[in-house]
Amino acid sequence: MPTLYIIDGNSYIHRAYHALPPLTTAKGEQVNAAYGFLRMLLKIIRNFKPDCMIVCFDLPGKTFRHEQYAAYKATRKTADPELITQFPISREAARALGLQIIEKEGFEADDLIAALALRAKKQG
């Protein structure tokens, strides 16, 4: 049976950012989150050899959840600028690996993952 891995890109990038010390390029750009994210993806590919792997990302901005509950994430701290700059780098790294990226305005990666999982389950 074919294997499908669906990754929450935002979650992996946040984990890597907080787990690794600041790593910088020769130009001084911080890349610890992108580096850790890429290492996690490569480990999954190497150890599990999935037939298909999709990475879902949140897009900036409000989602349908904000419409349903005005205080959604109201107490969440703003992300560090050093983290925010690493999202495009991480997307580029995932694309360079040939992975499909899915993101949709108004939806979080979690919502996309749930929809993909349900669809995959229906298709067997």
Side-chain angles (χ1 to χ4, degrees), residues 2-106:
T3 56
L4 167 64
Y5 275 64
I6 307 172
I7 307 298
D8 183 334
N10 286 65
S11 174
Y12 275 36
I13 293 167
H14 277 274
R15 276 179 50 195
Y17 179 76
H18 294 290
L20 296 173
L23 303 171
T24 57
T25 66
K27 294 179 182 177
E29 300 166 316
Q30 194 167 325
V31 292
N32 59 315
Y35 172 77
F37 171 71
L38 182 57
R39 298 243 342 175
M40 286 187 260
L41 295 181
L42 289 171
K43 186 174 183 178
I44 291 169
I45 293 167
R46 183 178 56 251
N47 292 344
F48 301 102
K49 298 173 181 44
D51 295 297
C52 182
M53 198 159 140
I54 298 170
V55 183
C56 296
F57 286 102
D58 300 343
L59 287 174
K62 297 189 184 247
T63 69
F64 71 91
R65 294 171 193 263
H66 292 93
E67 293 172 17
Q68 292 177 344
Y69 180 59
Y72 182 65
K73 293 189 179 182
T75 60
R76 183 167 286 186
K77 190 175 102 175
T78 304
D80 297 340
E82 297 82 12
L83 170 61
I84 293 170
T85 61
Q86 295 185 64
F87 279 94
I89 298 166
S90 299
R91 281 181 177 86
E92 187 178 325
R95 282 189 187 97
L97 290 175
L99 304 180
Q100 185 172 351
I101 306 271
I102 297 181
E103 48 197 6
K104 184 168 174 58
E105 197 171 309

